[in-house]
Amino acid sequence: MTIQRTLSIIKPDATSRNIIGKIIDRFESNGLKVVAGKLIHMDQDKAAGFYAEHDGKPFFANLVEYMTSAPVFVQVLEGENAILKNRDLMGATNPSEAESGTIRADFAETIDANAVHGSDSFDSAKREIDYFFSEKEILTFPAKNLLTFFKNHQLINIKLEEVFLNLFHNRGFYRHL
Ligand code: ADP
Ligand code: MG
């Protein structure tokens, strides 16, 4: 079991069309947890630095202009094989080539305005998360506190307690216990 973190960006076309929630639902419904998130409006330098690997390509100037055209929602997703899972949920870069049921097939129209960004490797995930978030901004969900809450409110009995703990173990939250 490999629990990873990855960077996801909901891009200007999607934030402008009020579908942040619909896109986050795809991640949450597929076992990825939002552990950090904020709405930001990038300036030229911030967007160009983020996409430095594409500097010099014919679409670079347009890409920077587009990414600075409206606020974007940046988030850190955590879960089992999060990096690849996020890429699978996103679909191909060009929405017309993206598999049906993927975010880009369902919510994007063009190759440049394609709804979402996702880190493509372990190294890029690390660089990209650090580019937007400090370690303090990435939060955890301690199972122990939740369990105490359920107990105090008599929402849980002893047998359910075992199920609850197993659930958190299986989802990789065991290290916060
Ligand atoms: P991905 O976002 O799927 O990782 P890339 O890293 O290759 O794709 O490209 C970064 C972003 O640059 C794309 O998501 C898209 O917004 C834009 N882009 C890539 N290729 C093109 C292209 N041929 N024409 C216009 N924009 C492009
Ligand atoms: Mg990429």
Side-chain angles (χ1 to χ4, degrees), residues 6-7 24 38 74 77 81 91 98 153 162 171:
T6 190
L7 184 87
I24 291 179
K38 56 191 170 192
V74 289
L77 303 174
N81 288 323
H153 291 77
E162 264 171 46
R171 291 176 64 98

Side-chain angles (χ1 to χ4, degrees), residues 66-176:
Y66 157 66
M67 290 300 286
T68 57
S69 65
V72 296
F73 191 79
V74 289
Q75 60 192 321
V76 178
L77 303 174
E78 186 180 81
E80 176 82 16
N81 288 323
I83 298 167
L84 195 59
K85 188 179 272 187
N86 179 36
R87 294 291 302 191
D88 286 346
L89 293 169
M90 288 163 60
T93 307
N94 190 342
S96 67
E97 290 166 12
E99 248 178 76
S100 67
T102 61
I103 293 168
R104 282 168 167 167
D106 292 349
F107 299 123
E109 299 284 308
T110 63
I111 190 170
D112 46 339
N114 56 4
V116 278
H117 165 86
S119 309
D120 63 6
S121 66
F122 185 81
D123 288 345
S124 72
K126 182 165 178 13
R127 181 188 89 83
E128 293 176 0
I129 290 170
D130 289 348
Y131 195 75
F132 290 108
F133 293 97
S134 68
E135 195 52 42
K136 269 201 314 204
E137 290 177 301
I138 304 172
L139 306 183
T140 54
F141 292 77
K144 219 175 196 171
N145 295 355
L146 265 181
L147 184 58
T148 307
F149 173 85
F150 279 120
K151 272 181 175 166
N152 290 347
H153 291 77
Q154 299 181 332
L155 296 170
I156 202 162
N157 63 32
I158 292 303
K159 270 198 184 133
L160 270 176
E161 179 178 328
E162 264 171 46
V163 173
F164 186 90
L165 281 170
N166 275 335
L167 188 71
F168 273 87
H169 272 269
N170 291 337
R171 291 176 64 98
F173 288 91
Y174 59 89
R175 60 205 160 98
H176 306 307

